[in-house]
Amino acid sequence: MTIQAPDELAGLQRAGALVAGILATMRDHACAGTAPRDLDAMASDLLREAGARSAPALTYGFPAATCISVNRVVAHGIPDGTPLRDGDLVNIDVSAELDGFYADTGASFVVGTASAAQQRLLDATREARDAAIAQLRAGELLSGIGRTVEAVAARRGFRVIRDLQSHGVGRALHEAPGSIPGYYDRRDTRRLHDGMVITVEPFLATHSTRTETLDDGWSLVCPKGVGAQFEHTVVVTHGAPIIVT
């Protein structure tokens, strides 16, 4: 999507505020003993009360309102009834459609107290997202996102999961400009333009650069080690980008 009018930006911001608020509420309730399925039910209720719809369920028939991934599962986890435990590494991804606008956000965290190694992974992934967003400017190469993420990952001693990428969003969950690698691809000559709406969502991992799909057909796991993700929906401008989530 390309924002072309103030009311479009306002609509996108409303959708962004909704998914950001739901993510924060879910995280606040994600304590030891709570089942991901119960967190997802909470999100489903909040979406319904707001007149919104789950974007993955609407777009792809995902069997839950949100994606909740635990430990080895790094993305697209189906919320189940297994209680969370202290020390679990969790990712929650919330995306929704509200009044024709789609916004997408996500975050990783540890239930209870993170170990030093877990905290390093979380800090590096959040840094990669924030650094990539900070350098967004209309006219610059889209590949600057991957260049920045890859540089942070290398400096921090982690790997980029290459098959999980950022994407266009706004009037659909996934749209133009298509997939945006979290690694540097010198062949990618696409450029950012004013009003472009994209996600910035690096996935960093301790050992893996690719994921494998579990038998449920959705859950993506790191073959070795664990991974983390942080995501915002962002509007590109000629100046500082606008974060709507």
Side-chain angles (χ1 to χ4, degrees), residues 14 16 20-22 52-53 57 106 111 133 189 205 211-212 244:
R14 286 192 295 271
I22 291 174
R53 296 181 290 177
V111 178
I133 290 173
T189 60
T211 64
E212 296 177 352
V244 300

Side-chain angles (χ1 to χ4, degrees), residues 58-83:
L58 177 65
T59 306
Y60 298 111
F62 186 73
T66 63
C67 300
I68 304 179
S69 307
V70 183
N71 294 325
R72 284 184 62 236
V73 181
V74 69
H76 303 169
I78 300 173
D80 64 14
T82 305

Side-chain angles (χ1 to χ4, degrees), residues 8-10 54 92 100-101 105 112 173 184 188 195 200 204 211 233:
E8 291 182 327
L9 177 58
S54 161
I92 296 177
F101 295 94
T105 190
L173 179 57
Y184 180 55
D188 189 349
V200 176
L204 301 191
T211 64
T233 295

Side-chain angles (χ1 to χ4, degrees), residues 120-129 202-204 228-230:
R120 284 194 297 271
L121 175 62
L122 294 174
D123 290 345
T125 310
R126 187 185 295 106
E127 179 185 342
R129 179 200 63 186
F203 286 82
L204 301 191
Q229 175 246 33
F230 285 90

Side-chain angles (χ1 to χ4, degrees), residues 16 28 33 36 39 44 59-60 64 87 94 118 136 172 222 240:
D28 286 345
L39 296 175
S44 181
T59 306
Y60 298 111
V94 183
Q118 289 173 325
L136 295 177
C222 292

Side-chain angles (χ1 to χ4, degrees), residues 19-30 39 42 46 92:
V19 296
I22 291 174
L23 174 60
T25 299
M26 294 173 73
R27 180 169 178 174
D28 286 345
H29 287 82
L39 296 175
M42 179 187 310
L46 292 171
I92 296 177

Side-chain angles (χ1 to χ4, degrees), residues 40-225:
D40 185 71
M42 179 187 310
S44 181
D45 288 343
L46 292 171
L47 288 169
R48 185 171 52 255
E49 290 168 7
R53 296 181 290 177
S54 161
L58 177 65
T59 306
Y60 298 111
F62 186 73
T66 63
C67 300
I68 304 179
S69 307
V70 183
N71 294 325
R72 284 184 62 236
V73 181
V74 69
H76 303 169
I78 300 173
D80 64 14
T82 305
L84 296 173
R85 300 176 300 175
D86 283 335
D88 280 345
L89 176 60
V90 179
N91 177 269
I92 296 177
D93 194 298
V94 183
S95 55
E97 177 274 332
L98 177 66
D99 299 329
F101 295 94
Y102 287 73
D104 192 358
T105 190
S108 296
F109 59 94
V110 172
V111 178
T113 302
S115 68
Q118 289 173 325
Q119 194 61 54
R120 284 194 297 271
L121 175 62
L122 294 174
D123 290 345
T125 310
R126 187 185 295 106
E127 179 185 342
R129 179 200 63 186
D130 293 347
I133 290 173
Q135 59 84 47
L136 295 177
R137 293 293 185 278
E140 297 295 326
L141 287 169
L142 200 67
S143 60
I145 293 171
R147 183 196 288 269
T148 301
V149 169
E150 201 167 49
V152 173
R155 177 165 48 80
R156 293 288 216 130
F158 294 104
R159 302 182 181 188
V160 176
I161 300 179
R162 297 169 72 90
D163 59 327
L164 294 174
Q165 304 185 356
S166 304
H167 54 89
V169 68
R171 286 297 190 178
L173 179 57
H174 295 102
E175 59 177 44
S179 295
I180 305 169
Y183 57 90
Y184 180 55
D185 182 355
R186 67 178 66 250
R187 299 167 299 177
D188 189 349
T189 60
R190 295 174 296 173
R191 292 191 179 271
L192 300 162
H193 61 257
D194 188 47
M196 178 186 282
V197 185
I198 60 173
T199 69
V200 176
E201 52 173 316
F203 286 82
L204 301 191
T206 56
H207 296 82
S208 300
T209 59
R210 297 280 176 181
T211 64
E212 296 177 352
T213 306
L214 294 183
D215 290 343
D216 64 21
W218 294 101
S219 302
L220 301 178
V221 302
C222 292
K224 294 183 179 180

